[in-house]
Amino acid sequence: MPSNLSYDLYDTANFTNSASNLFSLFQSAQGSAATLTKAFTNSRGAGQLPQNEDFSADWLGVFLDEIPSLADASAVWRDSYCEVRVNDETVLLTPLRRLAALNSYSGHFTQAVAADAAGIGLQGMGLALAIPIMIPGGTAFRVDLFQGTALAVATQAVRFVMSGTLVRN
């Protein structure tokens, strides 16, 4: 008997201090390397779901895993995009900032008299999909995140999440 679960599929790209990087997500299973921990990804297989599982994504979101500098809070989104491919067909292509979710840090701090700063980020609630993205088990899929602008820091973890229904047959 099939079981339906509310489920998130997530993976992480480490944006860097160089520009024009392409990160292909969900290409390595959780645990297949020391860095691919449950905190980094819950990828179910190398570029596909197990044969007995189907996933229907109805919401996509991207958030920053650490609090960025003010400059990097903007640079992460600049000239960056997301492409979702299922069975080697593009099913979504959108600017990365369209997927911003849970990124609005706020507050005020003073390091010195001349260095007041307010922490802000790109606000957003992710992207609710009117037509879900269907990923059948055993079918190749990937999510490409393109980093357009170099960051000031060496790395910034950028988390991509697809939320929806996982059906286990």
Side-chain angles (χ1 to χ4, degrees):
M1 169 174 263
S3 62
N4 293 352
L5 305 169
S6 292
Y7 202 79
D8 289 342
L9 288 176
Y10 60 88
D11 205 349
T12 306
N14 285 316
F15 280 27
T16 69
N17 56 2
S18 63
S20 300
N21 294 312
L22 183 66
F23 301 92
S24 291
L25 305 182
F26 301 103
Q27 299 308 294
S28 299
Q30 174 193 326
S32 63
T35 58
L36 298 176
T37 64
K38 192 180 284 190
F40 191 86
T41 184
N42 71 345
S43 181
R44 318 276 298 145
Q48 62 184 8
L49 296 171
Q51 192 70 37
N52 67 328
E53 295 182 353
D54 298 321
F55 186 70
S56 171
D58 56 22
W59 181 88
L60 306 177
V62 171
F63 64 94
L64 309 182
D65 216 25
E66 299 104 21
I67 298 174
S69 68
L70 293 176
D72 285 346
S74 174
V76 162
W77 311 105
R78 192 175 311 119
D79 302 323
S80 298
Y81 66 83
C82 173
E83 182 176 15
V84 179
R85 297 181 63 82
V86 177
N87 205 19
D88 208 28
E89 180 182 337
T90 298
V91 296
L92 179 80
L93 178 61
T94 190
L96 193 62
R97 69 177 52 245
R98 181 80 169 89
L99 303 178
L102 313 171
N103 288 293
S104 183
Y105 300 102
S106 64
H108 182 273
F109 67 92
T110 302
Q111 285 182 293
V113 176
D116 286 344
I120 58 171
L122 187 61
Q123 293 184 4
M125 296 302 294
L127 178 62
L129 300 171
I131 301 171
I133 294 173
M134 306 300 292
I135 304 172
T139 301
F141 82 97
R142 75 172 191 263
V143 174
D144 289 334
L145 298 185
F146 178 78
Q147 175 193 355
T149 302
L151 305 181
V153 296
T155 61
Q156 170 69 54
V158 177
R159 183 98 55 222
F160 174 86
V161 180
M162 291 190 287
S163 188
T165 303
L166 180 70
V167 178
R168 290 188 175 137
N169 299 305

